[in-house]
């Protein structure tokens, strides 16, 4: 009997382990059958669809027959254009890479209450906009739309009739109307004055402001919503859809999730855009594995051990020395690349919160007390440059704005004007009432940021200011930014194209992660409006220069570094195009390929 109980216990334990292993991977019913769902019929739109659209307040969305399309439209296709990627690229294979961001709490395409960094990899780097900007020429090229036309301030798009979602359903013009409706119900603001559809293939978008490169701006303001996927959309959308994977127009879809550890992107079978000129040599890899690793030492260990195929690092010291004495690096099986990047740069730096640091002289003193030049020299060892201002890397925008520099005498003078007139026994300035010049600096801990915080604290102490480091998990940083309780915080985000999205950063109505400055300035609001209304290169350059100067005058941001060199270590089976144009993280451009 004892042996029977033992055997039963073994079987029960095995069954439990199998069940746990199964639960560790989120079921992806919509995506696991990709190979069987290349072509699907279009799903119906929700009940009373047109009536619900008519009740929208901010954006006018109307549905029309194709016969109502205006006459006299002149259609453009953006041809010819130079190829993107390399004609030598091979299709297929697996790319294993590390992802240092926090594991996503949800996979919502819109309506997430907190920033989810993996959404950039999942949506912005994969979803195909209506019209794209060519990475080397800057001209408009087709995306989901095969042609476009402008009539006044309205941009018309003709959809590619072969465009399909990753679940096989066709993309229709009214899917963009549905997307506008669903986003409005989630209180997501859209800078769209009106949206009109004409049958299944045509739509027209009128932006609130015409702006610079209006076709590209209108072409990426909205991604379509596949009606079958959103058939259960309701008031509990954020909870109900949190772990569902939305169909996209891009080449990849999630097929495997291991909570906290791994997300796998799989190439969509017979992807509709594979043979189009703008995509022919891109999206080459069949399977992309994102391994979520927060320990940099573990990342290097996995890479050197052959468990990762590519490692792109911002730690220049590690990139230079971690492979010393490694046989695979010495015999050429591991290759080092350093690529010059000529694209808009994320504004790495330190944001000052005007809500908690109200005194402008205090903010000026802080900016004069933080020796960022020394940080860049020590951390990047000549592989990065100091960022001159917020607007960097944009075509035809070459102004240089004034900046604060490390200057202990000027810093102490600014602190004195802010009321810190006495020096304590520890060398830190104080107000006459005893209030100490102590500032909190919050950041997500890493080897690099820990070192940066130490270096900045040293320079500030020489100026009479105490910097208190607050290394916090991202969730805590996010809460600080949402409620505006931070003082200094390390900050960067994707700035936007074809111009930075100044409104989301600096406008008086901006809030949350994108607006750590909490700025309330009528002058800045006016400058932002002028930037949005600029239509020529000259007007754009003037508007950007004005905003950058106001950032300086308000003393709200300490520029960090430009990551204008991508430092990459790859195994020899990973190949990069000879001429690369694209974002800093080269894997995000999907121009890589792997050989057997």
């Amino acid at each position: 009997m004892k042996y029977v109980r033992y055997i039963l216990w073994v079987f029960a334990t095995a069954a439990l382990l199998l069940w746990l292993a199964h639960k560790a991977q989120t079921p992806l019913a919509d995506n696991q059958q990709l190979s069987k769902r290349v072509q699907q019929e279009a799903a119906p739109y929700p009940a009373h669809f047109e009536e619900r659209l008519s009740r929208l307040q901010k954006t006018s969305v109307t549905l029309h027959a194709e016969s109502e399309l205006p006459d006299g439209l002149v259609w453009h296709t953006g041809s010819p254009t130079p190829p993107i990627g390399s004609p030598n690229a091979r299709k297929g294979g697996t790319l294993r890479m590390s992802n240092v961001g926090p594991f996503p709490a949800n996979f919502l395409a819109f309506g997430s209450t907190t920033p989810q960094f993996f959404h950039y990899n999942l949506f912005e780097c994969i979803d195909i906009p209506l019209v794209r900007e060519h990475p080397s020429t800057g001209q408009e090229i087709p995306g989901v739309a095969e042609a476009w036309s402008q009539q006044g301030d309205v941009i018309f798009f003709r959809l590619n009739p072969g465009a399909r979602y990753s679940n096989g359903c066709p993309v229709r013009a009214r899917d963009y109307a549905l997307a506008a409706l669903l986003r409005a119900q989630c209180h997501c603001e859209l800078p769209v004055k009106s949206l009109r559809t004409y049958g299944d293939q045509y739509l027209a978008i009128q932006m609130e402001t015409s702006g610079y490169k209006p076709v590209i701006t209108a072409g990426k303001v909205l991604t379509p919503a596949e009606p079958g996927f959103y058939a259960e959309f309701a008031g509990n959308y954020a909870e109900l859809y949190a772990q569902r994977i939305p169909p996209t127009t891009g080449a990849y879809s999630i097929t495997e999730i291991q909570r906290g550890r791994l997300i796998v992107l799989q190439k969509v079978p017979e992807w509709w855009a594979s043979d189009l000129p703008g995509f022919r040599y891109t999206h080459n890899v069949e399977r992309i594995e994102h391994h979520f690793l927060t320990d940099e030492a573990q990342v290097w260990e996995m890479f050197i051990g052959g468990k990762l195929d590519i490692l792109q690092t911002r730690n220049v010291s590690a990139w230079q020395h971690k492979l010393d004495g490694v046989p695979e690096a010495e015999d050429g099986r591991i290759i080092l690349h350093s690529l010059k990047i000529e694209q808009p740069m994320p504004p790495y730096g330190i944001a000052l919160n005007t809500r908690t640091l109200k005194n402008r002289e205090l903010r000026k003193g802080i900016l004069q007390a933080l020796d960022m030049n020394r940080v860049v020299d020590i951390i990047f060892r000549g592989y990065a440059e100091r960022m001159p201002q917020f607007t960097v890397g944009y075509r035809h925008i070459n102004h240089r704005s004034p900046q604060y520099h490390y200057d202990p005498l000027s810093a102490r003078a600014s602190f004195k004007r802010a009321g810190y007139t006495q020096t304590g026994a520890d060398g830190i300035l104080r107000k006459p009432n005893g209030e100490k010049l102590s500032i909190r600096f919050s950041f997500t801990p890493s080897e690099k940021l820990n070192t940066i915080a130490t270096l900045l604290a040293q320079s500030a102490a020489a100026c009479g200011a105490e910097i208190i480091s607050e290394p916090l998990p991202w969730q805590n940083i996010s809460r600080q930014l949402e409620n505006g309780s931070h003082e200094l915080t390390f900050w960067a985000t994707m700035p936007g194209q074809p111009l930075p999205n100044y409104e989301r950063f600096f406008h008086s109505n901006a809030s949350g992660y994108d607006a750590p400055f909490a700025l309330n300035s009528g002058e800045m609001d006016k400058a932002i409006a002028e930037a949005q209304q600029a239509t020529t290169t000259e007007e754009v350059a003037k508007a950007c220069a004005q905003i950058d100067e106001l950032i300086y005058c308000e003393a709200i941001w300490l520029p960090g570094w430009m990551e204008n060199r991508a430092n990459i270590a790859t195994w020899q089976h990973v190949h990069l195009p000879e001429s690369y144009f694209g974002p800093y993280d080269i894997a995000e451009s999907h121009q890589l390929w792997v050989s057997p």
Side-chain angles (χ1 to χ4, degrees):
M1 191 66 181
K2 179 173 67 174
Y3 295 108
V4 172
R5 285 198 300 269
Y6 176 75
I7 292 170
L8 289 174
W9 178 84
V10 170
F11 275 111
T13 302
L16 176 62
L17 291 173
L18 287 171
W19 181 81
L20 288 172
H22 173 72
K23 293 298 288 182
Q25 297 185 2
T26 299
L28 303 172
D30 288 344
N31 297 288
Q32 287 172 337
Q33 303 299 321
L34 280 175
S35 61
K36 302 178 183 178
R37 301 177 65 180
V38 175
Q39 301 288 326
Q40 296 290 321
E41 293 298 322
Y45 292 101
H48 311 294
F49 181 40
E50 193 163 359
E51 179 187 341
R52 291 166 64 184
L53 290 173
S54 67
R55 295 200 294 266
L56 290 179
Q57 299 294 318
K58 189 173 183 296
T59 303
S60 170
V61 182
T62 53
L63 310 180
H64 303 266
E66 187 175 321
S67 58
E68 298 178 70
L69 196 69
D71 296 327
L73 295 176
V74 179
W75 294 99
H76 304 276
T77 61
S79 297
T81 59
I84 302 171
S86 171
N88 299 321
R90 297 171 60 102
K91 303 293 183 180
T94 296
L95 183 71
R96 299 166 299 174
M97 57 189 293
S98 65
N99 193 309
V100 298
F103 196 88
N106 64 63
F107 299 96
L108 302 173
F110 56 89
S112 178
T113 56
T114 58
Q116 302 295 318
F117 288 110
F118 189 73
H119 286 26
Y120 176 70
N121 303 98
L122 179 59
F123 298 119
E124 290 188 48
C125 296
I126 293 178
D127 246 325
I128 307 301
L130 286 161
V131 172
R132 303 187 300 148
E133 184 175 18
H134 193 286
S136 64
T137 68
Q139 75 178 91
E140 299 93 344
I141 58 174
V144 172
E146 63 178 6
W148 52 91
S149 180
Q150 183 169 357
Q151 194 174 79
D153 61 351
V154 180
I155 312 297
F156 292 82
F157 299 96
R158 186 175 73 216
L159 303 188
N160 187 316
R164 290 188 171 267
Y165 296 99
S166 51
N167 65 0
C169 293
V171 180
R172 297 170 293 172
R174 281 169 290 177
D175 295 355
Y176 290 86
L178 176 61
L181 173 65
L182 299 182
R183 283 162 173 76
Q185 292 178 336
C186 287
H187 308 290
C188 299
E189 293 289 330
L190 284 175
V192 176
K193 186 182 297 184
S194 70
L195 187 152
R196 303 193 297 271
T197 70
Y198 299 89
D200 286 340
Q201 199 177 353
Y202 298 88
L203 71 150
I205 295 176
Q206 182 183 26
M207 302 292 289
E208 289 180 346
T209 57
S210 55
Y212 181 61
K213 294 193 175 182
V215 172
I216 291 174
T217 302
K220 62 190 305 182
V221 72
L222 192 61
T223 55
E226 196 276 296
F229 176 78
Y230 290 103
E232 299 178 68
F233 184 93
N236 63 342
Y237 155 75
E239 178 183 356
L240 183 63
Y241 278 83
Q243 301 306 317
R244 301 184 185 184
I245 311 301
T248 74
T249 55
Y252 296 97
S253 187
I254 293 178
T255 55
E256 182 182 342
I257 297 173
Q258 295 179 19
R259 289 280 151 209
R261 294 175 51 204
L262 174 71
I263 294 178
V264 175
L265 299 174
Q266 190 77 26
K267 185 79 176 282
V268 175
E270 299 184 32
W271 181 47
W272 66 274
S274 289
D275 296 325
L276 298 181
F279 301 101
R280 191 168 291 151
Y281 307 126
T282 67
H283 303 84
N284 306 303
V285 179
E286 183 69 23
R287 173 185 168 95
I288 303 172
E289 297 181 1
H290 286 269
H291 294 264
F292 287 79
L293 305 165
T294 56
D295 184 351
E296 186 175 347
Q298 184 187 14
V299 174
W300 279 100
E301 180 182 347
M302 288 185 64
F303 174 73
I304 293 171
K307 296 179 181 179
L308 297 176
D309 302 298
I310 181 172
L311 195 158
Q312 185 162 334
T313 180
R314 293 171 170 85
N315 187 333
V316 176
S317 175
W319 183 75
Q320 289 176 327
H321 301 301
K322 287 285 187 181
L323 299 176
D324 288 350
V326 175
E328 292 85 353
E330 294 180 349
D331 64 19
R333 283 178 287 169
I334 292 177
I335 305 170
L336 293 179
H337 309 266
S338 183
L339 305 180
K340 178 79 172 183
I341 304 297
E342 297 181 0
Q343 288 286 311
M345 301 289 164
Y348 287 99
I350 296 175
L352 284 70
N353 184 358
T354 61
R355 187 181 301 170
T356 53
L357 301 170
K358 298 180 184 297
N359 189 298
R360 188 180 304 184
E361 288 298 329
L362 172 61
R363 299 198 302 270
K364 287 181 179 179
I366 294 170
L367 292 175
Q368 293 162 333
L370 300 177
D371 193 352
M372 185 61 78
N373 283 344
R374 178 171 175 246
V375 166
V376 173
D377 290 342
I378 291 174
I379 296 293
F380 294 99
R381 305 186 182 205
Y383 281 85
E385 302 172 37
R386 181 81 188 277
M387 184 168 273
Q389 71 258 334
F390 194 88
T391 309
V392 173
Y394 288 85
R395 204 181 308 272
H396 309 309
I397 301 174
N398 301 311
H399 66 270
R400 285 293 179 267
S401 298
Q403 288 301 337
Y404 294 97
H405 300 286
Y406 181 62
D407 186 341
L409 290 178
S410 296
R412 287 179 178 272
S414 295
F415 290 144
K416 184 176 182 179
R417 290 191 291 272
Y420 295 92
T421 57
Q422 300 177 1
T423 304
D426 57 359
I428 302 302
L429 295 170
R430 286 169 166 77
K431 289 184 176 179
N433 64 3
E435 181 184 330
K436 193 175 183 181
L437 179 48
S438 183
I439 305 111
R440 294 179 288 110
F441 175 36
S442 59
F443 57 91
T444 303
S446 69
E447 180 182 338
K448 182 175 73 174
L449 286 179
N450 292 344
T451 303
I452 288 173
T454 299
L455 293 172
L456 292 177
Q458 290 172 354
S459 69
C463 301
E466 179 183 52
I467 300 294
I468 300 176
S469 294
E470 285 188 345
L472 298 171
W474 160 244
Q475 292 82 354
N476 298 50
I477 298 288
S478 180
R479 281 195 291 271
Q480 280 191 352
L481 295 175
E482 285 296 326
N483 60 35
S485 61
H486 60 286
E487 292 185 342
L488 307 182
T489 191
F490 177 77
W491 179 85
T493 189
M494 298 308 296
Q497 282 185 294
L499 287 178
N501 190 342
Y502 295 116
E503 183 174 14
R504 113 176 176 243
F505 305 137
F506 303 114
H507 197 276
S508 298
N509 295 329
S511 61
Y513 175 80
D514 286 333
F517 318 98
L519 187 63
N520 189 348
S521 164
E523 193 175 3
M524 178 65 86
D525 292 348
K526 180 182 176 182
I528 290 170
E530 291 176 358
Q532 291 173 333
Q533 294 161 6
T535 58
T536 67
T537 299
E538 293 74 19
E539 290 175 350
V540 164
K542 181 180 178 181
C544 290
Q546 182 182 9
I547 289 174
D548 279 322
E549 185 159 348
L550 285 172
I551 294 170
Y552 166 81
C553 293
E554 294 287 352
I556 56 175
W557 181 63
L558 179 69
W561 52 89
M562 294 190 294
E563 294 196 336
N564 53 357
R565 293 209 75 86
N567 303 307
I568 308 164
T570 71
W571 282 81
Q572 62 183 356
H573 57 268
V574 177
H575 303 275
L576 284 59
E578 291 183 8
S579 298
Y580 173 69
F581 297 94
Y584 171 85
D585 286 307
I586 188 170
E588 294 171 357
S589 70
H590 298 288
Q591 297 180 37
L592 300 170
W593 72 96
V594 296
S595 57

